[in-house]
Amino acid sequence: ADGAPGSLLATAGAMRAAGLLLAWALLHPAATQQCHPASPGGVLRFTDRHAEIRVPALHRVPSSLDPLYGLVRRCLDLIQQNPLPTELLRAALNDPGSVRTSQVVQYELGYVVCAAVALLFTVAVPVAGMCFCYCRSRRRCGGRLRAHRRSLGCRRRCLLACLSFTSLIILISVTCAFVTSQRVKGQMEPGLGAVPSTLRTLRQHLANVPQGVQMVVDKFEVPRKQIISDLGGKNRAGQHPELPPGMNEVLTGHRCLAGLSRSVGLSIHAQLKAMTYAALADLQDRAGDLQTSLHHLQILDRTARALAAARAELEPALRERRRRVVALLDDPRCTSCASVLGRAQSLELGADYGKVPSVEKVLKALAGLPRSDFAEMIRQGNGTFNSIPELAVERMAQVIQDLRDDLARTAEKVQSIADGFPFPDYTRPVSEALVKAEDRSQPYLREAERFEQYRWIAGTALCSIILLILACNVTGMALGAYGLSKREDPSDYECRGEAGAKFLLVGVGLAFLFSWLLILLVFATFLVGGNIQTLVCRNWVNQEIYKFIDTPGNLPPSMNLTRQLNLRRDSNLSSAYRECKSGAGLWEVLQLDRSYDLDEHLKTPKYTADFQKRLGDFTANLGDVRLLRSEGRQDLETFARSGVDEVDYGRFQEEMKNPVVQTSLPGLARNLEGLQKMQRNSTVAGRLAAEARALWQMQNSTVRSQEALVAKLGESVQFLSRLAPHLKERVKRTLATTASVEARLPVQAQQILRQELSCFTRKELRYFAQYLNWVGQTLREDVASCQPLATALDNGRVILCDRIADPWNAFWFSLGCCTFFLIPNIIFAVRLTKHFRPIRNRLM
């Protein structure tokens, strides 16, 4: 009887725990349906690049001189409108003696016309200079005006404006010539030096490919370590956040748990614990109902018997007491006793517990129960279920070791990528061609560098002379204008005006003296730079040069680039350039005796088939948990059939509504005590006091003890009456739940195992795929990339055309503008000198 309240509290606590677990299961349904999302840690990190030798790509840098470069290119397109001379170049390369001069002149007709203009300028300007010197010696040129007219001022101002304008154009042109000449000098040396360095870089790139391929293959260690870590890792704290309180302590001794096996075991435990714990809690409730019901039935039986026996003992004593009290109250000597007489006459027993149903049959049915230890059974079931993570570690130990062995064999398969890479034997022709190109280019590069040095010296000197001519112009105009402003009479001599005229004539003399050198330098640089632009750069940009090289018969056999570079038989320079430009690997453009398909080597199933099959074939029984043994099931079934629910507890409740004694003994006793005080007869008063004490004694001893038994009986009747209507249904549900959980646990554990292994497989396959994708990308774009060859060709075009040819052509164009504008400069300067000298005759 003393353990019943504790059992009720334990039952309520278990039910609350089961409710919380069921709520958790309802709030986290998705955890059993899908894999965990990929975390940032699932992305492998490889070394950025492995190739130590690189060919950096060069690009055209925007410049403030770009409009000038565009203007020069348009001028050259007008001068040379002919396309690439395919026939002429074929003849020149294969049979130089067959080239006729007329063919060259016909193609270079624009340059021939420019050469004629330059020759005419070279001859005409010095002749004109000599004629001017002769006339000047005869005082017929650059002398004085004969007469003063009103229109002279207007003419003078016009000449000053024209000379200033031509001087400004010459100044702008010579400034551009200086800038572009310096830019050519600044680009020529690194540009020429880039040729052998680029060729050496390409050779080193080819030589380092096998080492780079091996380095890439060795990086398989990155996914291998990650997969091994996933197979045998643990979290930093050694605990799992999903475990209920106490489970982390259970697993404390297993800090070396395998990562995969622990993850599988903990996932099974986490996803099935709500269902299992709820079934165990329900079973514990039924076991508690059995023990508590048996306890209350025993109380019910004992208490009913005790109350019936107590009633039998109380009945004669109460009847005797009623007789004595009625006789006393009916005595004539008793004053005012008639008012209490009726109450005393009704003094008789109330409830009769001999009439309540007997529970002896139920107690016989429950005799010896429980035969099984439900507490130990629940503890063992709970312990077996909580040991699933440990069981998973034990059952999966062998498959994890096999997976480690599979990884070691996979590393050997990955090594075949490097072992089968057919590179060294096929890059030797390319390396030899690069060495030959480097050796042959050295003399031409040195000659180009020396020619550029001479050009820069000559250009700087002639530009300085042009600046000197401009200085003479500016000084002459300034002195002459100042002298005119100070001269009161036009016929008066003025030294500053005369000095200004002489400065102008000095500038004229310098222009006559050096103009032929200017035009020769302009034509020489124009001929070289123009042909580079129209013959090479223009056809390089539109890839006409590649088409010419690819056309059979255009190049002599000794210059067969397809054979020298060991390109594929179905390939040529244009297609190889396009493939290299788009990021193809060197092995894809070279002529290989045997095929090497990198994509075939990088197929993921080739390396993951064994790993995937081993995980797919693995099975283990991790959910064989026994919650209810047969004897426990029999106990619950016996409990349900015992008839607890057939007892008429309403009869008990109806009988308990009746008091033990119909008339209240304390009330009657108090009435007698009140009458005692009213009596004048001491004998009657004494007898009333005695009867009141006897009634109090009966109430305090016999009646109160029976009332306590009735209260105890009421507790048991109340519990049993609440339990009885739902007993069979609850027991049936509990038996069905435990049977269902016992049947579902292995099935669902196997499903979760398959799901976890599938998620793990997909995760590890992503590591393989990341590595193989990285291998393909790194080999194609870096280690064994063909792109450096295309980059080298593009860099050559940028250096030759954008960085050297453009400023080179802008130089001769600017210098040519200076040269041609010297002619109007001479005319305006000679005409202006007369206005700075005194007039011979003053005519009004």
Side-chain angles (χ1 to χ4, degrees):
D2 296 338
S7 177
L8 286 172
L9 292 174
T11 301
M15 293 181 69
R16 285 194 299 271
L20 290 174
L21 288 170
L22 288 173
W24 183 92
L26 292 174
L27 291 174
H28 299 80
T32 62
Q33 300 297 326
Q34 59 186 1
C35 300
H36 297 291
S39 61
V43 179
L44 299 178
R45 295 287 182 265
F46 300 98
T47 308
D48 184 25
R49 286 290 183 264
H50 293 82
E52 299 178 357
I53 309 302
R54 306 176 188 275
V55 179
L58 302 179
H59 303 283
R60 180 183 181 89
V61 179
S63 169
S64 58
L65 295 174
D66 285 346
L68 177 61
Y69 297 159
L71 176 62
V72 175
R73 283 195 293 270
R74 285 191 291 272
C75 290
L76 288 173
D77 289 340
L78 290 175
I79 294 172
Q80 177 57 282
Q81 301 181 9
N82 297 322
L84 184 70
T86 304
E87 299 296 332
L88 185 60
L89 288 176
R90 182 190 297 119
L93 292 173
N94 290 278
D95 187 10
S98 64
V99 178
R100 296 190 299 273
T101 305
S102 59
Q103 293 177 315
V104 178
V105 171
Q106 183 180 359
Y107 177 74
E108 298 280 350
L109 184 60
Y111 293 100
V112 171
V113 173
C114 293
V117 174
L119 179 62
L120 178 62
F121 188 94
T122 305
V123 174
V125 174
V127 170
M130 287 187 290
C131 293
F132 176 76
C133 291
Y134 174 77
C135 293
R136 183 74 185 96
S137 65
R138 304 291 296 213
R139 297 178 182 265
R140 294 183 178 179
C141 293
R144 295 186 292 173
L145 295 174
R146 294 182 179 274
H148 181 272
R149 295 181 177 84
R150 291 186 177 89
S151 60
L152 288 180
C154 181
R155 293 171 61 189
R156 187 188 308 119
R157 286 190 296 272
C158 182
L159 290 172
L160 277 170
C162 291
L163 184 58
S164 299
F165 178 72
T166 55
S167 298
L168 179 61
I169 293 178
I170 293 173
L171 177 62
I172 295 174
S173 300
V174 77
T175 302
C176 292
F178 262 122
V179 172
T180 52
S181 177
Q182 194 62 34
R183 185 161 294 185
V184 171
K185 186 178 186 300
Q187 293 292 338
M188 184 67 74
E189 184 176 355
L192 295 177
V195 174
S197 67
T198 300
L199 295 174
R200 284 192 299 271
T201 301
L202 291 175
R203 285 194 293 109
Q204 293 172 2
H205 172 70
L206 295 176
N208 287 356
V209 167
Q211 179 184 358
V213 173
Q214 186 60 49
M215 290 175 65
V216 170
V217 170
D218 291 342
K219 285 300 175 180
F220 180 69
E221 193 68 12
V222 174
R224 192 183 74 84
K225 286 183 177 179
Q226 182 62 50
I227 295 172
I228 290 177
S229 174
D230 291 345
L231 287 172
K234 62 180 182 295
N235 66 4
R236 295 180 182 177
Q239 297 184 341
H240 195 280
E242 295 293 334
L243 286 178
M247 270 302 294
N248 280 306
E249 286 72 12
V250 172
L251 298 179
T252 301
H254 297 275
R255 294 297 176 88
C256 297
L257 290 173
L260 173 60
S261 57
R262 182 182 71 169
S263 175
V264 169
L266 292 178
S267 182
I268 293 174
H269 185 277
Q271 296 185 42
L272 299 181
K273 65 182 180 181
M275 176 180 69
T276 305
Y277 288 166
L280 289 173
D282 195 32
L283 180 60
Q284 185 177 4
D285 290 344
R286 298 294 79 73
D289 289 343
L290 171 59
Q291 293 178 343
T292 307
S293 297
L294 184 60
H295 170 73
H296 284 292
L297 285 169
Q298 291 171 350
I299 291 176
L300 195 69
D301 183 63
R302 289 196 305 267
T303 305
R305 291 176 183 272
L307 286 171
R311 187 178 190 280
E313 293 177 2
L314 180 60
E315 184 177 9
L318 185 63
R319 188 167 49 248
E320 177 63 21
R321 185 59 53 198
R322 181 182 61 188
R323 184 187 64 77
R324 293 171 65 91
V325 171
V326 169
L328 178 60
L329 294 175
D330 198 30
D331 190 339
R333 294 175 297 175
C334 186
T335 305
S336 300
C337 293
S339 61
V340 185
L341 181 61
R343 191 168 188 178
Q345 290 175 346
S346 64
L347 187 65
E348 59 184 15
L349 291 175
D352 185 3
Y353 289 95
K355 300 178 181 179
V356 297
S358 175
V359 294
E360 185 177 357
K361 181 180 178 181
V362 178
L363 287 174
K364 286 182 180 180
L366 295 177
L369 294 184
R371 288 184 291 270
S372 58
D373 188 349
F374 280 95
E376 178 64 20
M377 191 186 309
I378 292 172
R379 188 189 65 79
Q380 289 180 0
N382 192 55
T384 303
F385 177 72
N386 288 339
S387 66
I388 286 178
E390 301 176 68
L391 183 63
V393 173
E394 178 184 345
R395 299 281 176 85
M396 297 184 69
Q398 184 59 45
V399 72
I400 288 177
Q401 183 58 45
D402 293 341
L403 291 172
R404 292 172 182 265
D405 297 339
D406 289 340
L407 283 176
R409 288 189 290 272
T410 302
E412 298 176 359
K413 294 180 181 179
V414 172
Q415 180 61 37
S416 66
I417 297 177
D419 296 341
F421 202 75
F423 207 71
D425 296 337
Y426 302 100
T427 56
R428 190 176 299 109
V430 183
S431 299
E432 293 174 354
L434 293 174
V435 171
K436 188 182 298 183
E438 183 179 352
D439 293 339
R440 291 182 177 180
S441 65
Q442 292 292 345
Y444 298 103
L445 296 176
R446 286 193 292 269
E447 287 297 322
E449 187 174 1
R450 187 176 63 171
F451 178 77
E452 163 57 21
Q453 188 69 21
Y454 294 155
R455 182 211 62 81
W456 182 80
I457 294 173
T460 303
L462 292 176
C463 288
S464 300
I465 292 173
I466 293 174
L467 288 178
L468 182 59
I469 294 172
L470 291 176
C472 291
N473 286 348
V474 174
T475 305
M477 286 189 291
L479 291 176
Y482 184 67
L484 286 175
S485 65
K486 294 298 183 180
R487 190 167 56 187
E488 297 179 357
D489 191 301
S491 61
D492 293 340
Y493 176 81
E494 212 286 319
C495 62
R496 283 166 293 203
E498 185 66 27
K502 290 180 178 179
F503 269 107
L504 291 177
L505 289 177
V506 169
V508 171
L510 290 173
F512 279 126
L513 185 60
F514 291 100
S515 59
W516 66 279
L517 291 175
L518 284 168
I519 198 63
L520 288 179
L521 179 61
V522 168
F523 180 73
T525 53
F526 158 74
L527 189 61
V528 174
N531 276 291
I532 290 176
Q533 172 61 36
T534 57
L535 189 61
V536 179
C537 295
R538 186 171 65 190
N539 295 292
W540 199 338
V541 171
N542 56 28
Q543 299 193 2
E544 289 294 327
I545 288 181
Y546 296 142
K547 296 178 183 177
F548 174 80
I549 294 174
D550 294 336
T551 302
N554 283 350
L555 297 179
S558 60
M559 298 177 64
N560 190 335
L561 295 180
T562 301
R563 188 182 72 252
Q564 290 184 1
L565 297 178
N566 199 28
L567 300 180
R568 292 196 317 266
R569 292 189 180 92
D570 60 342
S571 179
N572 52 41
L573 187 61
S574 297
S575 61
Y577 171 77
R578 286 192 298 271
E579 292 177 14
C580 293
K581 187 76 171 175
S582 62
L586 275 167
W587 66 91
E588 295 174 319
V589 299
L590 295 180
Q591 176 65 52
L592 305 181
D593 294 335
R594 64 182 182 277
S595 175
Y596 182 80
D597 189 354
L598 180 64
D599 293 332
E600 184 66 29
H601 283 76
L602 297 181
K603 287 184 177 179
T604 304
K606 182 177 181 180
Y607 306 97
T608 61
D610 295 340
F611 188 91
Q612 194 170 1
K613 184 177 185 300
R614 193 174 300 279
L615 284 172
D617 295 343
F618 176 76
T619 58
N621 186 5
L622 300 176
D624 190 8
V625 179
R626 193 72 179 274
L627 302 182
L628 182 63
R629 297 191 183 94
S630 59
E631 58 270 21
R633 183 178 295 275
Q634 291 175 2
D635 285 351
L636 292 179
E637 291 174 348
T638 301
F639 178 42
R641 296 192 305 265
S642 63
V644 175
D645 57 329
E646 298 175 358
V647 176
D648 188 1
Y649 299 103
R651 293 281 302 277
F652 283 92
Q653 293 171 345
E654 290 177 1
E655 202 65 38
M656 284 188 296
K657 292 178 182 179
N658 299 320
V660 176
V661 180
Q662 291 291 351
T663 301
S664 174
L665 293 181
L668 182 59
R670 283 191 289 271
N671 290 335
L672 294 179
E673 290 172 349
L675 292 175
Q676 175 194 353
K677 297 176 182 179
M678 298 171 58
Q679 303 301 318
R680 289 188 291 272
N681 187 325
S682 59
T683 302
V684 173
R687 291 179 61 187
L688 286 173
E691 291 300 325
R693 285 193 300 272
L695 291 174
W696 278 114
Q697 183 179 2
M698 183 178 291
Q699 171 68 28
N700 292 333
S701 59
T702 306
V703 175
R704 185 165 291 178
S705 64
Q706 290 188 38
E707 288 177 347
L709 290 176
V710 171
K712 187 175 181 180
L713 180 66
E715 293 179 1
S716 298
V717 169
Q718 183 180 6
F719 173 81
L720 292 171
S721 63
R722 286 200 309 266
L723 176 68
H726 312 289
L727 176 62
K728 288 185 177 179
E729 179 185 350
R730 289 180 180 177
V731 172
K732 182 179 180 181
R733 185 180 69 245
T734 299
L735 294 176
T737 299
T738 53
S740 173
V741 170
E742 287 180 349
R744 289 167 59 191
L745 274 175
V747 177
Q748 293 193 7
Q750 189 65 27
Q751 291 176 352
I752 297 171
L753 172 66
R754 295 261 40 92
Q755 175 188 339
E756 290 295 318
L757 292 181
S758 176
C759 292
F760 179 81
T761 303
R762 289 199 293 272
K763 177 183 176 184
E764 307 312 315
L765 290 184
R766 283 197 296 269
Y767 291 142
F768 280 104
Q770 286 181 51
Y771 169 72
L772 294 174
N773 290 337
W774 176 80
V775 169
Q777 181 181 4
T778 304
L779 289 180
R780 284 191 171 93
E781 297 181 2
D782 187 32
V783 173
S785 174
C786 177
Q787 199 163 24
L789 297 176
T791 303
L793 289 175
D794 292 339
N795 288 351
R797 181 188 57 77
V798 171
I799 292 172
L800 177 63
C801 300
D802 297 339
R803 299 192 176 183
I804 295 179
D806 277 350
W808 177 290
N809 290 325
F811 165 73
W812 63 252
F813 185 82
S814 301
L815 196 61
C817 288
C818 296
T819 305
F820 282 104
F821 271 93
L822 284 178
I823 296 175
N825 180 82
I826 293 172
I827 296 172
F828 294 139
V830 171
R831 297 291 298 272
L832 191 57
T833 54
K834 297 181 179 182
H835 292 271
F836 293 156
R837 289 184 170 140
I839 299 175
R840 295 180 182 177
N841 300 315
R842 182 175 181 183
L843 301 176
M844 299 303 295

